[in-house]
Amino acid sequence: EKNDEISLIKKDAFERKFEKTTKCWKNLNEKLQSGFRNIRPTNKVVANLTGICERQVSYYIKNAKELDINSDKENNNKK
């Protein structure tokens, strides 16, 4: 194992990612155990329910996230 600065940065990033992923999985497991069936619907499920294709669903989700990020930036600039 290398102890140079780049290796330590990568190790720290990996540990943060591992902790975040573990926390998310524990949260999902708790929801499943408490009786939730569909925690996060897939693009395929949403497409079937709305009658559009999966690619359109992913396109709309991506654009909605970008709009949300941009509106948050604008709100922060106004303060």
Side-chain angles (χ1 to χ4, degrees):
E1 184 176 316
K2 296 180 183 177
N3 285 331
D4 61 346
E5 189 173 326
I6 294 173
S7 295
L8 293 175
I9 291 170
K10 287 181 180 181
K11 183 180 177 183
D12 289 341
F14 176 75
E15 287 174 354
R16 282 194 308 272
K17 192 175 208 179
F18 179 79
E19 288 172 10
K20 182 179 177 186
T21 304
T22 302
K23 183 179 175 183
C24 288
W25 276 110
K26 286 181 180 182
N27 186 22
L28 287 173
N29 284 333
E30 287 174 8
K31 287 182 180 181
L32 283 171
Q33 288 174 351
S34 66
F36 285 97
R37 272 189 68 200
N38 293 327
I39 295 171
R40 293 182 282 183
T42 62
N43 288 354
K44 186 173 187 174
V45 171
V46 173
N48 288 337
L49 290 172
T50 57
I52 60 176
C53 74
E54 292 177 51
R55 292 183 73 187
Q56 279 181 299
V57 172
S58 63
Y59 173 79
Y60 293 143
I61 291 171
K62 182 186 115 213
N63 285 327
K65 286 180 181 178
E66 287 176 4
L67 284 173
D68 186 44
I69 290 170
N70 290 338
S71 67
D72 284 347
K73 286 181 183 177
E74 288 176 8
N75 290 338
N76 287 337
N77 288 337
K78 290 179 181 178
K79 290 180 180 178

